[in-house]
Amino acid sequence: MVRSRYVEMADVLAAELAGLPAGTRIAGEHEIAARFEVGRAAARAAVQELEQRLLVRRVRGSGTFVNKRIDYVISQRRAPSWHQTVREAGAEPRSVVRDVRRAPLPAEAAERLERPVGSAASLLVRQYYVDDLLHGWSNEWIPADVLADVDIAVHAVESVDAILRQMSRVQPVRSWCRVSYALPEPEVVAGLEVESGRPVWLVESVSRDAGSGRPVLCSRSWSRPDSARIVVEMDGPYQPEDE
């Protein structure tokens, strides 16, 4: 198969997709092959090219659809809330708790939270959806001296930022963040439903209480590149509104 042929097909399809709303189902590989009078392998390569360009997205068990990405903005002027950030991007967030348990802080999390290694904490593992499409996966550590009943809270309120404000009487602000493009671990590959060996966005973050300066949460969050573009704005500290 000549590479220029499937790229040419992808170019034609991309121009047509530009006028379609997000979520529109595109033609299947058989239809594309018949239209362009090529074999199934060429049609598959053209669709894969569109995926690489982030123009379409395969949904397991449903088909391939015109893609929509959000700008996920990380800024010290914004509350460190995933749910709020997604809503501000014009989409609807949803999170699902995959695991929540008490566990001793491992070395890396303990260092970031400025607690002794082995200190009591809760590990919260969640899967995220944007407009009901799979978006991300996260591991969040919350020290027990900040919030003891994480299990109860996260099954009542989805936003951890809101839980900390309401139950722990703290005002979380983002104090440190690192964004990278990394290969996810096997558990994350399964949770994101991506191909093994494909890099994804990795955002590592620490939030502190605006009043005391004490670290209250650290997290590692992975996001599908076809779901979001990570935008980092260096624009000064977040100033919470007066209640």
Side-chain angles (χ1 to χ4, degrees):
M1 179 175 56
V2 179
R3 179 181 184 279
S4 60
R5 179 56 177 150
Y6 77 78
V7 173
E8 178 183 285
M9 292 162 54
D11 288 341
V12 172
L13 293 169
E16 295 172 353
L17 297 179
L20 298 177
T24 301
R25 185 169 183 169
I26 73 168
E29 292 174 4
H30 284 298
E31 297 171 83
I32 294 173
R35 173 185 171 184
F36 290 94
E37 299 181 342
V38 297
R40 180 79 178 272
R44 182 180 300 113
V47 174
Q48 290 173 340
E49 176 69 18
L50 294 175
E51 284 187 277
Q52 291 290 330
R53 299 182 192 182
L54 305 175
L55 297 176
V56 301
R57 175 172 177 171
R58 293 180 191 266
V59 178
R60 186 178 295 177
S62 298
T64 304
F65 301 84
V66 176
N67 193 34
K68 172 189 174 183
R69 300 170 78 206
I70 64 169
D71 278 355
Y72 186 86
V73 181
I74 298 173
S75 164
Q76 287 185 304
R77 290 189 181 274
R78 296 171 181 248
S81 166
W82 179 82
H83 291 80
Q84 181 175 325
T85 301
V86 171
R87 289 193 183 97
E88 289 173 351
E92 185 59 33
R94 179 167 65 90
S95 60
V96 178
V97 175
R98 293 306 180 192
D99 189 19
V100 56
R101 63 182 184 271
R102 290 292 290 268
L105 279 175
E108 184 177 58
E111 180 180 0
R112 292 179 179 175
L113 291 169
E114 299 174 6
R115 265 76 166 184
V117 174
S119 296
S122 292
L123 172 61
L124 173 61
V125 180
R126 292 191 292 175
Q127 196 173 37
Y128 297 98
Y129 293 81
V130 172
D131 289 337
D132 286 327
L133 288 176
L134 188 54
H135 165 85
W137 184 273
S138 75
N139 294 341
E140 298 163 283
W141 286 97
I142 304 171
D145 58 35
V146 174
L147 181 62
D149 299 321
V150 175
D151 190 2
I152 297 173
V154 296
H155 287 98
V157 179
E158 286 193 31
S159 171
V160 170
D161 180 76
I163 291 170
L164 292 175
R165 292 174 186 275
Q166 294 169 12
M167 298 186 64
S168 300
R169 302 300 180 186
V170 298
Q171 293 183 325
V173 294
R174 199 185 304 276
S175 65
W176 175 82
C177 181
R178 178 168 62 195
V179 179
S180 58
Y181 206 47
L183 292 175
E185 303 156 8
E187 178 189 40
V188 179
V189 169
L192 292 179
E193 297 180 5
V194 295
E195 293 180 16
S196 180
R198 284 278 186 92
V200 300
W201 291 116
L202 169 60
V203 177
E204 300 169 275
S205 182
V206 174
S207 295
R208 294 177 181 269
D209 174 31
S212 66
R214 179 180 56 156
V216 295
L217 179 145
C218 75
S219 65
R220 301 184 80 215
S221 301
W222 297 264
S223 301
R224 293 177 55 123
D226 59 3
S227 177
R229 183 178 69 154
I230 305 296
V231 179
V232 179
E233 296 181 347
M234 304 296 291
D235 56 359
Y238 167 64
Q239 298 293 333
E241 296 179 1
D242 294 335
E243 297 183 358

